[in-house]
Amino acid sequence: QSVLTQPPSVSGAPGQRVTISCTGSSSNIGAAYDVHWYQQLPGTAPKLLIYGNSNRPSGVPDRFSGSKSGTSASLAITGLQAEDEADYYCQSYDSSLSGSGVFGGGTKLTVL
Amino acid sequence: QVQLVQSGAEVKKPGSSVKVSCKASGGTFSTYAISWVRQAPGQGLEWMGRIIPILGVANYAQKFQGRVTITADKSTTTAYMELSSLRSEDTAVYYCARGESSTGSLDYWGQGTLVTVSS
């Protein structure tokens, strides 16, 4: 049972827009901790996709965007491409766990 | 260019310990946190703990308290994660990752180390 809740799977056709939600609580996302998003392609290490709720590291396409409101956050992917098929994880920290890091359970994105 | 290079795969017996290393290069080692994250086969990511080398202070996820020890050697820019009392459920890929100072995002990751616990 993950501290942050994500849908297990989402899907979309090429060119479409999908969103992945990440729901937390008042001790993590709602406590003003930043939310970060990672993309994990099969057999590889996770890669930072969005940091500080809505910022993209250099090299990440602007098709990826993040937002945060209250105790939830979202990752949006527009103009879906086949290479976006991957697992996506949200991550934050939790004050009720002495500031430990916490992850969502992950969302498998399938490009139809 | 920041790089984190981890030690190789390990096979361990139940009840034993494993120590995984993470050699950092290309950045200022001491002032960033190094976190350890694991991923069991077919499962999600799990945060285990972190250390800030310049402080030498580590904090751990409650689940691993008493079983995990994270250390750092500033002279060799290497971090270590030791997990004791291994059981089959500890079979996983273990990753180290650098924690960015202001946001806490994990901006660089090691390649992962597979630890297999089997009798």
Side-chain angles (χ1 to χ4, degrees):
Chain A
Q1 190 83 354
S2 302
V3 173
L4 305 179
T5 301
Q6 297 180 234
S9 63
V10 298
S11 63
Q16 284 191 330
R17 177 182 187 269
V18 297
T19 61
I20 298 172
S21 61
C22 175
T23 302
S25 68
S26 59
S27 62
N28 41 67
I29 298 175
Y33 285 107
D34 285 337
V35 177
H36 319 296
W37 291 90
Y38 303 88
Q39 178 192 59
Q40 186 176 34
L41 299 170
T44 69
K47 168 193 165 186
L48 180 63
L49 197 64
I50 296 288
Y51 68 93
N53 306 315
S54 59
N55 302 290
R56 279 177 287 106
S58 172
V60 173
D62 60 7
R63 302 187 295 104
F64 296 90
S65 62
S67 64
K68 172 186 159 180
S69 178
T71 59
S72 295
S74 288
L75 172 71
I77 310 171
T78 59
L80 264 184
Q81 298 181 3
E83 60 259 35
D84 298 334
E85 188 159 295
D87 294 322
Y88 293 84
Y89 295 89
C90 59
Q91 181 253 319
S92 187
Y93 294 86
D94 196 299
S95 61
S96 72
L97 301 174
S98 304
S100 292
V102 289
F103 281 98
T107 299
K108 169 70 178 177
L109 169 62
T110 300
V111 180
L112 302 170
Chain B
Q1 176 73 355
V2 175
Q3 268 197 310
L4 301 176
V5 179
Q6 299 182 222
S7 49
E10 304 258 15
V11 179
K12 293 292 182 180
K13 299 284 189 190
S16 66
S17 298
V18 68
K19 191 170 186 177
V20 180
S21 67
C22 171
K23 166 77 175 172
S25 62
T28 308
F29 178 74
S30 292
T31 57
Y32 289 92
I34 296 289
S35 287
W36 288 88
V37 175
R38 79 176 187 180
Q39 186 170 38
Q43 302 300 307
L45 303 174
E46 184 172 32
W47 191 87
M48 299 180 69
R50 67 178 164 186
I51 189 167
I52 302 175
I54 197 170
L55 300 176
V57 175
N59 65 297
Y60 306 114
Q62 286 177 354
K63 174 177 179 176
F64 300 101
Q65 286 275 2
R67 271 212 310 146
V68 68
T69 304
I70 296 174
T71 56
D73 183 339
K74 295 191 294 291
S75 67
T76 60
T77 65
T78 302
Y80 300 89
M81 185 284 300
E82 183 170 21
L83 188 63
S84 63
S85 303
L86 290 170
R87 35 211 189 227
S88 58
E89 309 89 87
D90 294 317
T91 294
V93 175
Y94 290 77
Y95 295 101
C96 63
R98 191 185 83 163
E100 195 275 330
S101 305
S102 59
T103 66
S105 63
L106 304 177
D107 56 0
Y108 291 94
W109 292 67
Q111 82 276 19
T113 297
L114 174 62
V115 175
T116 303
V117 182
S118 173
S119 55

